[in-house]
Amino acid sequence: MPKKSAPDLPTPAERNQLLDANRTLKMARSAHAYVRGNTAKFYDWLAGSPAAARVPTGPSIWICGDCHVGNLGPLSNGDGRVEVQIRDMDQAVIGNPAHDIIRLGLSLATAARGADLPGVVTARMLEEMMEGYVAAIHDPTSGDPGVEPEVVQSVKRRALGRRWRHLAKERLDDVEPRIPLGKRFWPIAGKERAALEAALAKPAVLATVLGRDEADGAQDVRLVDAAYWMKGCSSLGLLRYAAIVAVAGEKGEEDYALIDLKEAVASIAPAASNARMPKVHAERVVEAARALSPHLGRRMASVHMLGHALFVRELAPQDLKLELDQFSRSEAVKSARYLAFVVGKAHARQLHSEARDAWLETIAADRRSNLDAPSWLWESVVSLAGRHEIGYLEHCRQYAIAA
């Protein structure tokens, strides 16, 4: 049987055109997808919202910068356990933690509307959000995150039972250690493969991402396959690669790891005026991950490749994202408290007790009762929800015209 030829290498211009089309389609699928894929508009519209002047300025700490629900999920600690943490740091900066709160609130409110829940549920969700966030800031170690919602329990159960075959089947459409070229994965040039091999052999990558001793780790690592990875929203026009790496085991057998290499560029999220961050954006992403999500940060590294800065991470089978496409009224409220606690814990681990107390006082200054969300949060979310709905419908109109 004649061997099937590989697809032709797409040019950079063709890559960008395909990525742009995919991103436009994704964002047209739902208002929630539009919110997730439109970080730039979020900050533009937030700055112009009626509540902008009253959004409190919190302590200058690492924030996610794009803290929507899809960027939270269970992450493996590398030792058989999982914990829900922030899982995407592309937009992370040293900035105002209030921005993460508002971004999460908008994401939850949009998900609630997508599930056809009444507006009163959104009000209750924002109240519970603040309860969960405050509980984490007050005591990030023993604070009460509330009842773990079923959507979180379900994804954690799935995560704990996953192995390489599940990851390969989900990401690669095949349990064999190869990357199927086609819609999502594109062939790469010889210089790209050579650059990938060199990047994966760097001491920082061997020690953190692959968990090998720097002295002889490169001899135990083999690049099995690699491809350009088409991801339609956050990676538009950027370098993004998937690599399968074989790592020698203790008994001479090889274990496989799926490695994600992604170009890092300047963050859209506003940084604090006094922020001191790495100038290399890939190093910024790695440093943020280590501050906000230790389970993720400890298996990330930054590299230079083909004149670009990329961050490298292993995609563990247990790493999953949360999906709130449909959920009940009670699940919505529980999820809001629990996820806000997760974000609060990520913020609080960076603060000493006096700084946490000061931030709590700032938050409490605009709360009229224990069960009332701050007016700056409510007004910000309402204003942003309206602007995003208008933007989403216009996006769909333009998509329909183009189609």
Side-chain angles (χ1 to χ4, degrees):
M1 180 180 294
K3 184 178 180 180
K4 184 179 179 181
S5 61
D8 293 335
L9 292 174
T11 66
E14 289 171 336
R15 280 182 178 178
N16 289 347
Q17 185 177 14
L18 289 167
L19 287 167
D20 194 26
N22 184 73
R23 180 177 184 270
T24 301
L25 172 60
K26 274 187 170 182
M27 292 174 62
R29 284 175 176 164
S30 70
H32 192 210
Y34 182 77
V35 167
R36 290 169 57 173
N38 220 334
T39 312
K41 288 294 187 183
F42 168 81
Y43 284 107
D44 285 346
W45 288 336
L46 178 60
S49 73
R54 291 189 291 106
V55 173
T57 300
S60 295
I61 57 174
W62 283 107
I63 65 171
C64 171
D66 191 20
C67 195
H68 60 73
V69 172
N71 279 343
L72 301 174
L75 292 169
S76 169
N77 72 342
D79 194 29
R81 291 178 295 169
V82 298
E83 181 179 341
V84 175
Q85 294 181 352
I86 300 171
R87 57 189 300 278
D88 192 308
M89 307 294 165
D90 292 38
Q91 298 297 331
V93 293
I94 293 177
N96 185 359
H99 290 160
D100 275 357
I101 300 173
I102 297 170
R103 186 78 167 125
L104 179 62
L106 174 64
S107 177
L108 287 165
T110 308
R113 296 297 292 160
D116 202 26
L117 296 176
V120 68
V121 174
T122 299
R124 182 64 180 168
M125 287 169 70
L126 296 184
E127 292 172 352
E128 285 299 308
M129 251 190 68
M130 289 310 301
E131 290 297 309
Y133 185 82
V134 166
I137 297 296
H138 179 70
D139 185 355
T141 303
S142 305
D144 179 17
V147 178
E148 191 171 73
E150 174 57 34
V151 66
V152 173
Q153 294 179 24
S154 175
V155 76
K156 284 175 70 175
R157 285 194 297 267
R158 279 203 301 128
L160 286 170
R162 284 166 60 89
R163 300 294 183 265
W164 160 262
R165 65 182 184 277
H166 300 103
L167 177 66
K169 188 66 177 175
E170 174 186 273
R171 301 278 190 169
L172 309 176
D173 298 324
D174 201 328
V175 297
E176 296 299 321
R178 64 183 181 85
I179 299 175
L181 301 179
K183 183 178 179 181
R184 289 187 298 160
F185 299 103
W186 304 340
I188 58 175
K191 69 175 184 178
E192 290 178 294
R193 184 180 179 93
L196 285 169
E197 289 180 327
L200 293 171
K202 290 184 180 297
V205 176
L206 291 171
T208 56
V209 181
L210 298 174
R212 312 303 293 178
D213 189 297
E214 294 183 21
D216 57 1
Q219 301 174 12
D220 298 335
V221 174
R222 179 173 59 90
L223 179 60
V224 176
D225 202 2
Y228 183 91
W229 197 350
M230 192 283 290
K231 301 285 281 185
C233 288
S234 61
S235 301
L236 178 61
L238 306 180
L239 295 184
R240 182 78 180 263
Y241 298 99
I244 298 177
V245 173
V247 181
E250 295 181 358
K251 299 181 179 180
E253 298 180 352
E254 290 184 322
D255 295 322
Y256 296 104
L258 179 60
I259 308 299
D260 180 16
L261 300 96
K262 184 177 181 181
E263 183 179 357
V265 295
S267 173
I268 296 170
S273 58
N274 61 344
R276 298 183 64 181
M277 301 180 292
K279 293 182 179 180
V280 177
H281 295 302
E283 294 176 5
R284 168 184 56 82
V285 171
V286 173
E287 188 171 322
R290 290 173 182 170
L292 289 162
S293 302
H295 283 13
L296 180 63
R298 67 169 59 103
R299 48 188 164 96
M300 290 179 64
S302 64
V303 298
H304 277 84
M305 189 182 114
L306 301 174
H308 299 266
L310 293 83
F311 57 92
V312 187
R313 59 186 174 186
E314 179 192 359
L315 297 178
Q318 295 79 24
D319 297 349
L320 296 172
K321 66 169 62 177
L322 291 175
E323 297 288 355
L324 299 184
D325 294 331
Q326 292 291 327
F327 57 165
S328 66
R329 178 184 303 221
S330 62
E331 279 293 294
V333 173
K334 286 189 290 187
S335 296
R337 180 187 178 102
Y338 182 88
L339 296 179
F341 184 90
V342 169
V343 174
K345 189 173 179 179
H347 291 171
R349 66 164 56 95
Q350 304 175 61
L351 299 169
H352 54 71
S353 59
E354 292 82 2
R356 295 203 310 270
D357 290 342
W359 180 218
L360 286 174
E361 287 183 13
T362 301
I363 295 173
D366 194 31
R367 301 183 75 197
R368 294 183 289 276
S369 72
N370 287 337
L371 291 178
D372 190 21
S375 58
W376 57 264
L377 175 61
W378 173 254
E379 291 176 16
S380 294
V381 169
V382 169
S383 173
L384 285 164
R387 291 189 178 203
H388 272 80
E389 184 68 25
I390 294 172
Y392 168 63
L393 292 175
E394 181 60 25
H395 177 84
C396 291
R397 174 177 173 271
Q398 294 299 328
Y399 175 76
I401 292 173

